[in-house]
Amino acid sequence: MKNESTIIDVPAESSSAMKGKAPLIGMAKDHTTSGSGGYKRGLSIFDFLLRLAAIIAASVAAATMFTSDETLPLFTQFLQFEAGYDDLPTFQFFVIAMSIVSGYLVLSLPISVVTIVRPLATAPRLLLLVLDTAALAFNMAAASSAAAISYLAHNGNQNTNWLPICQQFGDFCLKSSGAVVSSFVAVVFFTILVVLSGVALKRH
Amino acid sequence: MAKESTTIDVGEPSTVTKSSSHVVVDEKKKGFVAAAAGGGYKRGLAIFDFLLRLAAIGITIGASSVMFTAEETLPFFTQFLQFQAGYDDFPTFQFFVISIAIVASYLVLSLPFSIVSIVRPLAVAPRLILLISDTVILTLTSAAAAAAAAIVYLAHNGNANTNWLPICQQFGDFCQATSTAVVAASISVVFFILLIVISAVALKRH
């Protein structure tokens, strides 16, 4: 038996047997630059770039909503003539949520860099996927609830006698709608990021 | 070469380590060894995934039907105010009913893929398909749930700055039903997040 083992071992060290035995001998390092490591590294780089784009989208959304104040140059006894994001709790939630999402994206950049450097490691990618999914749901919640309120502000609701305020506060409506659109763009980026991580995780 | 491989199989079964089994993987025994090692916990994850899907089907059908039947008519009338409330008075609630119904039917259609990943725990394609489509459906579900939640919040509290009056004070039953539907949809969002994480963990190389 030992005799056969010896015979197996010796050819294993020769160059002709290298390829078949490469994973055994720990030649896996070469795989990071060729074979499956190559396209995974490409996916990681694309992931990093998408994250940068999503940071811009999310922070623009938060900033636009935050600065969407408008004061009308007239006054009466009865109506409010200032409009700002803090008049609507949903928009307050939107600003806070988009700020949290932007902060999370900035903090996830180092992990993304780690997946570029070590394309075959699964732990960072799995962590990114789980956190990205949670951030996606959070982002989508903020974006769609703000969209519902924006829709109301533009159209009102006759059945409940909720008047559309956009007819008086044009700039405020414009900026808040722009912020909502920007955060939907961030949602699209997050979806692509999650799918990317899933594809890069799979065994090859 | 084949002769040495045979010798490894026969001669050192008890000392074969994980790394050696990689060599075995290249031979005919691949499926057998792999099913014993990586397939076990992945099959468990796939079963959990299937059960979660069944629970999510129940919850989403419940949410959609509760919102659909959330009507209330008050027993008095004046010239000026509406005294019926239904889901179709609010475009956001209409969107909610339609999209949660779409989510429920997606879940039913995804059950076969889930069963395939139970039967073949190591197959990558069904899990990847489920992960991608679950992500898209997650965004749809959370959109519907959040938008409806914003309207429900307004109905409960109103908004003093925009002069939007809270309607829940007149339409108590209607508000109750819509709030229940929103809560159920939010629970299904949590389920979807779990489903995505399960697919990702099951996908990763072992």
Side-chain angles (χ1 to χ4, degrees):
Chain A
M1 205 62 93
K2 266 196 192 155
N3 235 356
E4 281 95 335
S5 299
T6 311
I7 292 171
I8 294 162
D9 283 346
V10 168
E13 285 163 12
S14 74
S15 55
S16 62
M18 252 332 174
K19 256 200 191 148
K21 304 273 193 251
L24 269 187
I25 307 178
M27 296 284 285
K29 273 189 195 163
D30 284 337
H31 278 238
T32 60
T33 54
S34 63
S36 63
Y39 97 96
K40 289 193 180 189
R41 177 164 281 167
L43 286 178
S44 297
I45 293 174
F46 186 42
D47 174 293
F48 184 77
L49 296 174
L50 265 183
R51 250 169 236 285
L52 292 178
I55 289 175
I56 294 175
S59 46
V60 160
T64 309
M65 183 64 86
F66 187 73
T67 59
S68 61
D69 294 48
E70 186 180 359
T71 310
L72 295 184
L74 27 108
F75 50 92
T76 71
Q77 273 180 314
F78 300 114
L79 290 176
Q80 177 96 354
F81 285 112
E82 276 177 34
Y85 82 96
D86 49 357
D87 292 326
L88 291 149
T90 306
F91 285 171
Q92 285 174 326
F93 168 64
F94 179 86
V95 171
I96 295 173
M98 294 315 294
S99 314
I100 290 175
V101 162
S102 313
Y104 155 73
L105 279 169
V106 170
L107 289 175
S108 72
L109 280 178
I111 307 179
S112 187
V113 169
V114 166
T115 61
I116 296 178
V117 168
R118 295 249 176 270
L120 294 173
T122 59
R125 281 195 207 276
L126 191 58
L127 179 68
L128 274 186
L129 188 134
V130 172
L131 293 177
D132 280 349
T133 307
L136 167 69
F138 195 46
N139 190 344
M140 194 55 172
S144 58
S145 54
I149 300 299
S150 286
Y151 177 86
L152 262 189
H154 278 276
N155 300 83
N157 190 304
Q158 287 165 337
N159 301 305
T160 53
N161 215 27
W162 291 342
L163 302 171
I165 65 168
C166 275
Q167 295 171 359
Q168 281 102 28
F169 296 100
D171 279 349
F172 171 68
C173 270
L174 212 64
K175 282 194 180 174
S176 56
S177 308
V180 168
V181 167
S182 179
S183 85
F184 275 116
V185 169
V187 164
V188 170
F189 286 164
F190 266 114
T191 311
I192 300 175
L193 281 173
V194 168
V195 169
L196 260 185
S197 294
V199 168
L201 265 180
K202 76 180 172 81
R203 308 177 305 129
H204 213 53
Chain B
M1 203 54 125
K3 197 181 171 202
E4 280 96 339
S5 301
T6 311
T7 306
I8 294 171
D9 290 345
V10 172
E12 308 171 4
S14 57
T15 57
V16 164
T17 59
K18 259 196 189 155
S19 55
S20 296
S21 68
H22 272 282
V23 177
V24 179
V25 163
D26 290 343
E27 305 301 331
K28 278 181 255 170
K29 295 220 169 179
K30 168 181 175 178
F32 177 77
V33 172
Y41 92 97
K42 289 191 181 189
R43 179 163 281 163
L45 283 179
I47 292 174
F48 185 43
D49 173 294
F50 183 75
L51 296 174
L52 263 184
R53 263 172 223 283
L54 291 178
I57 289 175
I59 285 192
T60 49
I61 290 181
S64 187
S65 50
V66 165
M67 180 66 86
F68 186 73
T69 59
E71 298 181 53
E72 188 177 356
T73 310
L74 296 184
F76 48 83
F77 50 92
T78 72
Q79 272 180 311
F80 300 113
L81 290 176
Q82 177 95 359
F83 285 113
Q84 275 181 14
Y87 85 98
D88 46 1
D89 292 328
F90 297 89
T92 307
F93 289 165
Q94 286 172 326
F95 169 64
F96 180 89
V97 169
I98 294 172
S99 51
I100 299 295
I102 290 175
V103 166
S105 40
Y106 157 77
L107 280 170
V108 170
L109 288 175
S110 71
L111 282 178
F113 287 93
S114 189
I115 292 175
V116 165
S117 59
I118 295 178
V119 167
R120 296 247 176 271
L122 295 171
V124 161
R127 283 194 203 272
L128 194 57
I129 291 175
L130 279 183
L131 185 117
I132 293 174
S133 44
D134 278 349
T135 307
V136 174
I137 295 293
L138 168 71
T139 60
L140 183 64
T141 312
S142 60
I151 301 300
V152 165
Y153 177 87
L154 260 190
H156 276 277
N157 300 83
N159 191 301
N161 300 307
T162 53
N163 216 28
W164 292 339
L165 302 172
I167 65 163
C168 275
Q169 293 171 359
Q170 281 103 28
F171 296 98
D173 282 347
F174 175 70
C175 271
Q176 188 94 354
T178 54
S179 309
T180 309
V182 166
V183 167
S186 309
I187 294 175
S188 77
V189 167
V190 172
F191 282 0
F192 271 110
I193 295 180
L194 278 177
L195 282 172
I196 290 175
V197 170
I198 287 173
S199 292
V201 169
L203 264 181
K204 79 179 172 85
R205 306 176 309 127
H206 212 53

